[in-house]
Amino acid sequence: MTSVRDLRAKAGTEPITMLTAYDAPTAAIVDEADVDVILVGDSVANAALGYETTVPVDVDAMAHHVGAVTRATEEAMVVADMPFLSYGADEATAIENAGRMLQEEGADAVKLECGPHTVDLTRRLVELGIPVMAHLGLTPQHVNQYGGYPRQGTDQESAERILQLAREHEDAGAFSLVLEHVPSNVAAEVTDAIDIPTIGIGAGPDCDGQVLVFHDAVGMSEWSPSFAKQFGDVKGEMESAVSDFVEAVESESFPAEEHSHEQADLDELY
């Protein structure tokens, strides 16, 4: 099982790999591919549940998906994304919500979309034995504040704020840091400035690792961000398979004899 210590050891020596997963079959595939970290992201909202943003997903929904992933995972570290308003307002509630992901659902760590308000919370969670992955740059739970998903850290002030928050969360005990949709030179400077591993998404090649949403990586998304790469065409394969099924049923070539069983010793039914 990949541990916090393993990720720290890989930083700067071997790239860290992370993908999202939201269900048991997907988690098993990702785990068998030797991906280091599976993130049960609140991106389940728009990747799998039909929402336009991550905001509608709550703690119960996230717990449901986290449990599905942990039950199918043997080697990868499983990180539970803490959803909108599940932390940051009240410390006791945040601790209860984060602890639930480990104690009840089997996650190994939690991820927080970070700001000044999460520094003390990170420290407290770590003190209680809950490993924290920090997340800076574009934080999608702030979509209504941003008015979309713009690149972050594009001026001196905002870039320095990201660096400062990275240092503060490292000091508070975060074991790693996701940097999303920031200029590659900003990500490189943050990576050089802190000792914990950085994992980039739309942050260039100089982070200690990379993460993508599973649906973007395998080609299942209707739309993908410009910084994502499609490594397969699963959507095309699924469309082809479904089309072939419809054609086979309509042409009565399915089910064929090999797909059916006749019980010879049954009397005629009345």
Side-chain angles (χ1 to χ4, degrees):
M1 174 71 72
T2 301
S3 67
V4 168
R5 182 175 297 179
D6 294 331
L7 291 189
R8 286 180 177 271
K10 290 190 74 169
T13 62
E14 184 180 352
I16 296 166
T17 55
M18 184 163 80
L19 280 173
T20 65
Y22 315 115
D23 56 62
T26 302
I29 292 170
V30 174
D31 191 44
E32 289 168 6
D34 293 328
V35 170
D36 296 311
V37 183
I38 296 177
L39 173 64
V40 190
D42 62 355
S43 50
V44 65
N46 35 14
L49 299 181
Y51 294 113
E52 292 186 0
T53 74
T54 64
V55 171
V57 175
D58 62 13
V59 175
D60 288 340
M62 286 304 303
H64 176 80
H65 289 281
V66 170
V69 168
T70 61
R71 289 190 289 272
T73 303
E74 296 181 1
E75 297 298 329
M77 172 188 286
V78 176
V79 177
D81 219 351
M82 298 307 300
F84 183 63
L85 293 185
S86 67
Y87 62 97
D90 175 73
E91 183 178 277
T93 301
I95 292 170
E96 180 181 358
N97 291 335
R100 176 182 175 183
M101 298 303 174
L102 275 66
Q103 191 171 48
E104 298 181 15
E105 306 302 338
D108 302 301
V110 299
K111 181 174 78 64
L112 307 178
E113 292 191 8
C114 291
H117 64 295
T118 57
V119 176
D120 289 341
L121 176 60
T122 296
R123 181 174 291 106
R124 185 61 179 139
L125 290 174
V126 173
E127 287 174 349
L128 292 170
I130 302 173
V132 173
M133 174 180 284
H135 180 165
L136 291 170
L138 176 63
T139 47
Q141 290 173 15
H142 290 80
V143 59
N144 292 316
Q145 181 177 335
Y146 295 148
Y149 300 98
R151 184 180 285 108
Q152 301 295 303
T154 56
D155 57 67
Q156 191 72 26
E157 181 181 356
S158 61
E160 290 179 354
R161 184 165 59 247
I162 289 172
L163 176 57
Q164 180 63 28
L165 284 169
R167 287 173 167 150
E168 291 177 2
H169 283 83
E170 178 183 29
D171 290 344
F175 72 89
S176 62
L177 170 66
V178 171
L179 289 169
E180 181 170 357
H181 205 24
V182 301
S184 58
N185 52 324
V186 172
E189 289 201 34
V190 172
T191 300
D192 287 342
I194 62 177
D195 292 329
I196 59 174
T198 60
I199 301 174
I201 176 167
D206 294 317
C207 294
D208 295 303
Q210 299 292 329
V211 57
L212 282 178
V213 170
F214 178 84
H215 292 61
D216 292 339
V218 302
M220 287 180 66
S221 301
E222 290 290 337
W223 171 89
S224 296
S226 60
F227 52 73
K229 179 175 179 179
Q230 181 177 313
F231 293 87
D233 184 20
V234 171
K235 183 174 181 289
E237 290 294 327
M238 292 171 70
E239 289 172 341
S240 177
V242 171
S243 178
D244 289 348
F245 164 75
V246 171
E247 181 180 350
V249 172
E250 291 179 345
S251 67
E252 300 184 353
S253 63
F254 175 83
E257 184 177 350
E258 64 266 26
H259 305 122
S260 305
H261 171 75
E262 183 176 303
Q263 189 65 39
D265 57 352
L266 285 177
D267 293 333
E268 186 176 352
L269 303 180
Y270 297 95

